[in-house]
Amino acid sequence: MTSTQPLVSCIMPTRGRHAFANEAIAAFKDQSWDNKELIVVDDSEKYFNVSAHQVRSQRIPFQCTVGLKRNIACELATGKYIMHWDDDDIYSFERIETQINRLIAAEQKGKFISGYHSMQFVTESGHRWLYSGPPHTVVGVSLCYNKEVWKSHPFPCLNIGEDTAFTMALGYAVQSHPDDGRILARIHGGNTSQKTQEYLESHPVNWRRVA
């Protein structure tokens, strides 16, 4: 199937979360989409050396922002399409296949960014929360887009909100979907953007406990 599949470059910025990252790499290897690559950009003090088929790693010798690491990964990507593959989240085996097919179809309508506007998150205690954003928005980890879009609008060099700024700059080109269970995001003490129990409970418009 790889001869007819476009190459999808998954990008994973990481720092000091090797256990999570290993799980994300395993999920990448298990994907039903064959023509893929994973670009890992790491600025950890202890380098996360990855050696695996279809996986490439780039070490950054200084601590930098998530936005910069995303830009470096996009620059290194050789695929036509780029998909975010955060190091601490959980992915079903058909995530790439599902999202890429949606994006290819959306391109015929002038939409060059795809993702989910609602998605489930799981806490360290096992509780699940459903995040629901406006239909024209996309949760950062679910972003999937044509590389040409990134070339014209690189990520700002921020640790928080770089993905939001990216999609807001290209709002007309975004197609978002409701949660379908193909991504489960983790809420934990090492999240770049902290989400405490109090925060979730105080934002009922966007967050609802489901389990």
Side-chain angles (χ1 to χ4, degrees), residues 91-135:
Y91 310 101
S92 70
F93 75 93
E94 78 277 33
R95 184 211 163 175
I96 295 178
E97 181 177 359
T98 300
Q99 283 203 258
I100 286 299
N101 285 332
R102 284 176 178 166
L103 179 57
I104 292 172
E107 285 184 318
Q108 306 304 313
K109 304 175 183 177
K111 306 292 186 180
F112 302 100
I113 302 174
S114 183
Y116 296 100
H117 59 79
S118 63
M119 206 169 70
Q120 286 198 38
F121 288 68
V122 60
T123 67
E124 291 178 296
S125 60
H127 295 148
R128 292 199 183 198
W129 291 76
L130 178 66
Y131 169 80
S132 299

Side-chain angles (χ1 to χ4, degrees), residues 50-61:
V50 181
S51 178
H53 177 55
Q54 297 179 314
V55 180
R56 291 187 286 138
S57 61
Q58 175 67 51
R59 185 186 183 194
I60 308 300

Side-chain angles (χ1 to χ4, degrees), residues 53-95:
H53 177 55
Q54 297 179 314
V55 180
R56 291 187 286 138
S57 61
Q58 175 67 51
R59 185 186 183 194
I60 308 300
F62 55 88
Q63 187 171 351
C64 57
T65 64
V66 175
L68 177 57
K69 284 187 280 190
R70 291 201 192 282
N71 287 333
I72 292 170
C74 288
E75 185 66 39
L76 293 171
T78 58
K80 177 179 180 180
Y81 298 107
I82 293 174
M83 180 175 292
H84 287 199
W85 204 266
D86 287 4
D87 61 358
D88 56 346
D89 296 323
I90 302 166
Y91 310 101
S92 70
F93 75 93
E94 78 277 33
R95 184 211 163 175

Side-chain angles (χ1 to χ4, degrees), residues 2-54:
T2 56
S3 61
T4 60
Q5 292 177 341
L7 176 61
V8 179
S9 298
C10 299
I11 62 169
M12 189 173 82
T14 188
R15 176 178 171 80
R17 301 201 294 213
H18 298 172
F20 281 151
N22 278 323
E23 290 184 27
I25 291 170
F28 168 81
K29 293 178 181 177
D30 288 342
Q31 291 295 299
S32 59
W33 190 269
D34 296 323
N35 200 17
K36 60 186 184 292
E37 66 176 359
L38 178 64
I39 313 298
V40 181
V41 178
D42 178 28
D43 64 346
S44 304
E45 293 180 6
K46 184 178 180 181
Y47 179 43
F48 180 52
N49 189 19
V50 181
S51 178
H53 177 55
Q54 297 179 314

